[in-house]
Amino acid sequence: AKIRKELGIGADQLIIGSFQKDGNGWRKGLTPKLIKGPDIFCDMITKLAKKNKIHVLLTGPARGYVIKRLRDAKINFSHFYSRNYLSLIKYFQILDLYLITSREEGGPKALLESLACGVPLVSAKVGMVPEVIDDGKNGFLVNIEDVDSFCLKAGELIENVNLRKTFVLNGLNAVKSYDYSLIAKMYWEEIYSKLLKYEN
């Protein structure tokens, strides 16, 4: 509530997050990096804003394309760029919803970060997302570039407080499996220890 107040975001506004770099280059980023889906994100937000009071929270460099689209559509937003990744936690914790609209991903990091911070998630089926998200249980999955499905699933979460709570609880449980200590142990047992035995 404190951070929301500091940012001047009204209690009646839904805060949707997008924390990434989705513009080409390291300056203003007015040309979109399309594999990150900033055009899809903006199309979706524009549709959602017709029925909901939305405030978009952006972090990261080169967000010029998204910022211009939001300004043109007269959608409220805030943008922050901090080189200290730990500062992201306070921003994640005030989100009502996080969207992953990418066309391609290796992760993304925001997937596990959202779950760990208790943020309901709607994501395209990219990267490791389908391995982590059990559709309808701890998040929603939609096909890549499917703006209508994104809006439909986001709308369900916006309207259903109990569903959001369920996603949060299930997400917090699911993300425990990806704790560094567990992943490191798994890699050691299944890969590195066997390689060392082979060399000896």
Side-chain angles (χ1 to χ4, degrees):
K2 180 181 177 183
I3 298 174
R4 182 187 277 264
K5 188 175 180 181
E6 288 175 1
L7 297 177
I9 303 174
D12 61 338
Q13 289 183 301
L14 185 82
I15 306 178
I16 297 179
S18 173
F19 299 173
Q20 61 178 359
K21 176 186 180 297
D22 55 18
N24 288 314
W26 288 92
R27 295 190 179 183
K28 290 185 177 180
L30 292 172
T31 305
K33 189 175 182 181
L34 293 177
I35 62 170
K36 304 298 283 187
D39 54 327
I40 301 168
F41 177 82
C42 292
D43 289 346
M44 182 188 172
I45 290 295
T46 301
K47 289 190 72 172
L48 284 175
K50 291 177 181 177
K51 294 183 179 180
N52 305 277
K53 290 186 177 180
I54 288 175
H55 189 102
V56 177
L57 188 55
L58 305 171
T59 69
R63 304 305 306 268
Y65 171 83
V66 173
I67 289 171
K68 184 179 186 306
R69 288 278 310 265
L70 294 175
R71 280 180 176 153
D72 289 347
K74 294 181 172 54
I75 295 170
N76 294 324
F77 73 92
S78 301
H79 175 234
F80 302 92
Y81 177 35
S82 172
R83 295 183 185 276
N84 179 5
Y85 73 93
L86 291 175
S87 68
L88 287 178
I89 296 171
K90 65 182 182 181
Y91 296 127
F92 267 111
Q93 290 178 334
I94 65 168
L95 297 181
D96 295 300
L97 181 64
Y98 193 90
L99 305 175
I100 296 172
T101 58
S102 305
R103 292 177 172 89
E104 296 178 27
E105 279 292 352
K109 289 186 289 186
L111 165 65
L112 298 181
E113 291 168 343
S114 294
L115 297 181
C117 291
V119 182
L121 178 76
V122 182
S123 175
K125 298 173 184 175
V126 291
M128 67 184 285
V129 177
E131 299 171 22
V132 178
I133 296 299
D134 185 357
D135 188 33
K137 300 291 179 61
N138 61 356
F140 276 134
L141 295 174
V142 301
N143 292 326
I144 295 168
E145 297 184 328
D146 191 343
V147 173
D148 289 339
S149 290
F150 260 114
C151 289
L152 180 66
K153 296 302 182 181
E156 284 187 43
L157 284 171
I158 291 168
E159 294 171 9
N160 192 331
V161 176
N162 289 330
L163 183 60
R164 290 205 301 271
K165 289 179 179 177
T166 298
F167 277 19
V168 168
L169 291 174
N170 291 340
L172 289 170
N173 285 327
V175 79
K176 291 176 184 176
S177 303
Y178 296 88
D179 183 271
Y180 173 77
S181 61
L182 297 176
I183 296 297
K185 182 180 179 184
M186 180 188 73
Y187 271 72
W188 169 253
E189 292 175 349
E190 296 184 12
I191 300 175
Y192 299 116
S193 63
K194 294 176 183 178
L195 290 173
L196 289 172
K197 286 178 183 178
Y198 178 76
E199 288 180 358
N200 292 332

XYZ file of all heavy atoms in Angstrom, residues 2-37:
277
model
N 2.007 1.187 0.708
C 2.903 2.337 0.796
C 3.476 2.674 -0.576
O 3.492 3.842 -0.991
C 4.029 2.044 1.781
C 5.009 3.195 1.940
C 6.123 2.830 2.906
C 7.147 3.957 3.010
N 8.280 3.600 3.902
N 3.958 1.656 -1.299
C 4.562 1.887 -2.610
C 3.505 2.354 -3.605
O 3.739 3.249 -4.416
C 5.248 0.606 -3.126
C 6.372 0.211 -2.170
C 5.807 0.813 -4.528
C 7.008 -1.108 -2.494
N 2.332 1.753 -3.527
C 1.221 2.173 -4.388
C 0.942 3.662 -4.188
O 0.740 4.402 -5.150
C -0.024 1.332 -4.070
C -1.226 1.658 -4.939
C -2.450 0.903 -4.457
N -2.517 -0.438 -4.956
C -3.213 -0.804 -6.028
N -3.895 0.096 -6.711
N -3.247 -2.060 -6.415
N 0.940 4.083 -2.929
C 0.675 5.484 -2.614
C 1.803 6.369 -3.131
O 1.561 7.447 -3.688
C 0.524 5.655 -1.098
C 0.064 7.039 -0.679
C -0.184 7.109 0.816
C -0.645 8.491 1.239
N -0.877 8.576 2.702
N 3.052 5.920 -2.962
C 4.209 6.688 -3.438
C 4.153 6.899 -4.951
O 4.571 7.934 -5.467
C 5.508 5.971 -3.063
C 5.853 6.019 -1.592
C 7.084 5.194 -1.259
O 7.668 4.596 -2.192
O 7.458 5.147 -0.075
N 3.644 5.879 -5.658
C 3.558 5.958 -7.116
C 2.318 6.702 -7.585
O 2.156 6.946 -8.779
C 3.569 4.550 -7.712
C 4.830 3.712 -7.486
C 4.655 2.306 -8.068
C 6.043 4.388 -8.108
N 1.427 7.028 -6.637
C 0.204 7.739 -6.994
C -0.804 6.873 -7.728
O -1.573 7.370 -8.559
N -0.794 5.578 -7.410
C -1.720 4.646 -8.059
C -2.942 4.469 -7.166
O -2.828 4.057 -6.005
C -1.058 3.276 -8.301
C 0.217 3.452 -9.140
C -2.032 2.331 -9.005
C 1.023 2.173 -9.306
N -4.113 4.772 -7.697
C -5.344 4.685 -6.921
C -5.679 3.258 -6.515
O -5.308 2.299 -7.197
N -6.383 3.133 -5.410
C -6.765 1.813 -4.900
C -7.690 1.073 -5.853
O -7.802 -0.152 -5.803
C -7.432 1.960 -3.535
N -8.356 1.812 -6.739
C -9.292 1.191 -7.675
C -8.633 0.772 -8.986
O -9.287 0.259 -9.896
C -10.448 2.147 -7.975
C -9.974 3.451 -8.620
O -8.781 3.798 -8.466
O -10.800 4.115 -9.279
N -7.313 0.993 -9.085
C -6.610 0.653 -10.320
C -5.950 -0.722 -10.216
O -5.357 -1.073 -9.190
C -5.542 1.704 -10.641
C -6.129 3.038 -11.097
C -5.044 4.021 -11.483
O -4.185 4.361 -10.684
N -5.070 4.472 -12.724
N -6.039 -1.474 -11.294
C -5.410 -2.781 -11.394
C -3.984 -2.589 -11.891
O -3.770 -1.976 -12.936
C -6.199 -3.646 -12.371
C -5.754 -5.095 -12.510
C -6.336 -5.921 -11.372
C -6.200 -5.646 -13.856
N -3.012 -3.107 -11.158
C -1.610 -2.931 -11.547
C -1.123 -4.170 -12.291
O -1.095 -5.275 -11.750
C -0.706 -2.677 -10.322
C -1.230 -1.509 -9.499
C 0.724 -2.394 -10.788
C -0.432 -1.229 -8.248
N -0.757 -3.967 -13.553
C -0.261 -5.054 -14.396
C 1.208 -4.810 -14.683
O 1.609 -3.709 -15.068
C -1.057 -5.137 -15.710
C -2.528 -5.469 -15.405
C -0.454 -6.186 -16.644
C -3.402 -5.561 -16.628
N 2.022 -5.849 -14.521
C 3.465 -5.694 -14.648
C 4.054 -6.246 -15.933
O 3.546 -7.204 -16.514
N 5.139 -5.612 -16.356
C 5.962 -6.089 -17.463
C 7.391 -5.663 -17.164
O 7.742 -4.490 -17.330
C 5.494 -5.503 -18.801
O 6.398 -5.839 -19.836
N 8.210 -6.606 -16.699
C 9.572 -6.293 -16.263
C 10.561 -6.979 -17.204
O 10.909 -8.142 -17.021
C 9.811 -6.785 -14.833
C 8.902 -6.176 -13.788
C 8.920 -6.645 -12.488
C 8.036 -5.137 -14.090
C 8.091 -6.092 -11.513
C 7.203 -4.579 -13.130
C 7.233 -5.058 -11.834
N 11.021 -6.255 -18.208
C 11.946 -6.844 -19.166
C 12.576 -5.758 -20.019
O 12.288 -4.578 -19.851
C 11.206 -7.838 -20.066
C 10.092 -7.213 -20.893
C 9.405 -8.216 -21.802
O 9.761 -9.395 -21.850
N 8.402 -7.777 -22.539
N 13.430 -6.175 -20.935
C 13.966 -5.290 -21.971
C 13.337 -5.744 -23.282
O 13.570 -6.867 -23.713
C 15.492 -5.415 -22.044
C 16.124 -4.593 -23.169
C 17.616 -4.885 -23.271
C 18.254 -4.063 -24.405
N 17.726 -4.377 -25.749
N 12.525 -4.902 -23.890
C 11.832 -5.337 -25.103
C 11.963 -4.359 -26.267
O 11.191 -4.397 -27.216
C 10.361 -5.623 -24.826
C 9.637 -4.451 -24.178
O 10.151 -3.318 -24.240
O 8.558 -4.676 -23.597
N 12.985 -3.494 -26.190
C 13.304 -2.611 -27.307
C 14.689 -2.939 -27.820
O 15.545 -3.430 -27.075
N 14.927 -2.706 -29.094
C 16.252 -2.967 -29.649
C 17.249 -1.922 -29.171
O 16.922 -0.745 -29.039
C 16.195 -2.959 -31.183
C 15.495 -4.202 -31.728
O 15.769 -5.314 -31.291
N 14.590 -4.003 -32.671
N 18.475 -2.351 -28.906
C 19.520 -1.449 -28.448
C 19.412 -1.141 -26.970
O 18.601 -1.730 -26.254
N 20.232 -0.188 -26.517
C 20.271 0.150 -25.093
C 19.944 1.614 -24.832
O 20.239 2.148 -23.779
C 21.639 -0.200 -24.514
C 21.803 -1.675 -24.406
C 22.350 -2.513 -25.329
C 21.390 -2.501 -23.313
N 22.299 -3.809 -24.888
C 21.722 -3.831 -23.662
C 20.758 -2.239 -22.100
C 21.452 -4.904 -22.815
C 20.499 -3.299 -21.256
C 20.837 -4.612 -21.611
N 19.328 2.266 -25.804
C 18.924 3.644 -25.586
C 17.426 3.706 -25.311
O 16.930 3.054 -24.408
C 19.351 4.489 -26.787
C 20.873 4.563 -26.911
C 21.337 5.565 -27.924
N 22.796 5.612 -27.980
C 23.476 6.436 -28.736
N 22.840 7.305 -29.529
N 24.797 6.431 -28.736
N 16.676 4.428 -26.092
C 15.251 4.571 -25.808
C 14.442 3.320 -26.134
O 13.402 3.072 -25.547
C 14.686 5.767 -26.576
C 15.192 7.096 -26.046
C 14.524 8.257 -26.756
C 14.989 9.583 -26.173
N 14.342 10.736 -26.852
N 14.929 2.532 -27.083
C 14.212 1.310 -27.424
C 12.903 1.555 -28.133
O 11.913 0.871 -27.887
N 12.894 2.505 -29.061
C 11.662 2.824 -29.771
C 11.298 1.769 -30.816
O 10.156 1.672 -31.233
C 11.789 4.194 -30.442
C 11.862 5.388 -29.472
C 12.182 6.672 -30.222
C 10.553 5.530 -28.709
N 12.295 0.985 -31.234
C 12.033 -0.110 -32.163
C 11.830 -1.388 -31.353
O 12.701 -1.780 -30.581
C 13.220 -0.309 -33.136
O 13.499 0.914 -33.792
C 12.897 -1.387 -34.165
N 10.671 -2.044 -31.487
C 10.378 -3.205 -30.644
C 11.220 -4.426 -30.964
O 11.514 -4.708 -32.127
C 8.900 -3.474 -30.931
C 8.684 -2.958 -32.313
C 9.567 -1.740 -32.409
N 11.614 -5.145 -29.931
C 12.269 -6.443 -30.069
C 11.135 -7.469 -30.080
O 10.649 -7.894 -29.032
C 13.221 -6.664 -28.892
C 14.119 -7.867 -29.027
C 15.087 -7.909 -27.857
C 16.037 -9.076 -27.988
N 16.982 -9.131 -26.831
N 10.711 -7.869 -31.261
C 9.450 -8.582 -31.415
C 9.414 -9.955 -30.748
O 8.334 -10.434 -30.382
C 9.091 -8.707 -32.896
C 8.758 -7.373 -33.583
C 8.492 -7.582 -35.067
C 7.562 -6.695 -32.916
N 10.568 -10.595 -30.559
C 10.533 -11.902 -29.889
C 10.058 -11.768 -28.446
O 9.548 -12.725 -27.863
C 11.890 -12.637 -29.934
C 12.987 -11.850 -29.197
C 12.301 -12.952 -31.358
C 14.262 -12.655 -29.009
N 10.181 -10.568 -27.865
C 9.716 -10.338 -26.497
C 8.235 -9.941 -26.443
O 7.672 -9.783 -25.365
C 10.558 -9.254 -25.819
C 12.050 -9.538 -25.798
C 12.375 -10.798 -25.007
C 12.315 -10.576 -23.531
N 12.785 -11.740 -22.746
N 7.631 -9.738 -27.602
C 6.190 -9.497 -27.670
C 5.669 -8.188 -27.126
O 4.532 -8.143 -26.634
